[in-house]
């Protein structure tokens, strides 16, 4: 019985490249000279830390980071969870962007419900941070992929691990 998995893993290499490109752009920009503007990636905790002199400068750093991320991995900015801006040491601002990885339980339930309501002859089951879809025909699986990619656009979902 053919099956495949819906999953959502962050490409950490592409993310690291995007952060490095942004750090180089910050170092080269004239309006960032002599400021506290910086960006840092913590791969272990999956956090991106932005530091700047003001909220406006944090927004400028994000304007550099987001296109670099999109260029490396499509829809990767949708997996960022921005935390509140903190004021640190005087007049500086800091913001942490959490990198969400894996499919959350409520999104997995939404995918399963979507497939059941779509009247496609497939079975979907939640397995940890993935959703396994199996069916009798490959065409049904392709229809399921098309339905989920069309309906769920607020979080990057990949499909793979196809088995026949």
């Amino acid at each position: 019985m053919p099956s495949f998995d819906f999953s959502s893993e962050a490409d950490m290499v592409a993310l690291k490249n995007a952060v490095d490109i942004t750090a180089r752009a910050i170092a080269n920009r004239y309006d960032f000279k002599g400021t506290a503007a910086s960006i840092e990636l913590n791969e272990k905790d999956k956090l991106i830390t932005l530091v700047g002199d003001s909220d406006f400068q944090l927004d400028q750093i994000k304007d550099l980071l987001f296109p670099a991320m999109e260029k490396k991995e499509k829809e990767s900015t949708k997996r960022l969870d921005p935390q509140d801006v903190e004021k640190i040491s005087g007049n500086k601002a800091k913001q942490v962007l959490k990198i969400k990885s894996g499919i959350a339980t409520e999104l997995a339930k939404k995918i399963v419900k979507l497939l059941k309501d779509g009247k496609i002859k497939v079975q979907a089951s939640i397995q940890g941070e993935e959703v396994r879809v199996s069916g009798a025909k490959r065409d049904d699986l392709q229809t399921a992929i098309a339905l989920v990619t069309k309906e769920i656009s607020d979080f990057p979902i990949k499909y793979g691990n196809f088995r026949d």
Side-chain angles (χ1 to χ4, degrees):
M1 201 156 155
S3 69
F4 70 94
D5 295 334
F6 281 118
S7 63
S8 181
E9 286 299 318
D11 185 357
M12 293 306 285
V13 174
L15 198 59
K16 186 172 177 16
N17 286 341
V19 169
D20 289 344
I21 288 168
T22 306
R24 272 187 261 126
I26 289 170
N28 291 336
R29 277 194 40 174
Y30 180 76
D31 55 339
F32 287 152
K33 296 278 189 226
T35 65
S38 68
I39 184 169
E40 182 181 306
L41 173 66
N42 183 342
E43 289 185 58
K44 184 179 153 222
D45 297 331
K46 295 190 176 181
L47 299 172
I48 299 174
T49 306
L50 310 174
V51 178
D53 286 342
S54 64
D55 294 351
F56 176 71
Q57 199 169 53
L58 292 179
D59 289 339
Q60 286 182 319
I61 295 171
K62 285 188 236 173
D63 288 344
L64 293 172
L65 175 65
F66 291 171
M69 286 177 63
E70 289 292 324
K71 196 179 227 182
K72 299 290 179 188
E73 181 185 8
K74 188 178 172 202
E75 294 186 330
S76 61
T77 55
K78 292 180 181 176
R79 75 173 65 253
L80 294 179
D81 181 20
Q83 304 301 304
D84 292 335
V85 176
E86 306 169 23
K87 298 291 181 193
I88 56 170
S89 66
N91 60 351
K92 294 180 181 29
K94 172 183 170 183
Q95 186 174 25
V96 175
L97 305 174
K98 288 186 179 177
I99 303 162
K100 295 187 277 187
S101 197
I103 297 178
T105 308
E106 61 243 20
L107 183 60
K109 288 179 182 176
K110 183 178 175 183
I111 291 171
V112 171
K113 184 178 182 330
L114 187 69
L115 291 173
K116 284 184 181 177
D117 292 347
K119 306 284 189 229
I120 306 169
K121 295 180 181 176
V122 294
Q123 292 80 40
S125 61
I126 301 170
Q127 297 185 339
E129 294 185 336
E130 294 182 341
V131 177
R132 171 140 315 145
V133 180
S134 57
K137 299 178 187 171
R138 286 186 182 187
D139 292 341
D140 293 338
L141 296 180
Q142 290 174 339
T143 306
I145 291 171
L147 178 67
V148 170
T149 53
K150 180 180 151 223
E151 293 294 323
I152 307 229
S153 61
D154 57 342
F155 194 73
I157 296 177
K158 299 175 184 170
Y159 50 90
N161 199 14
F162 185 81
R163 295 191 183 116
D164 208 358

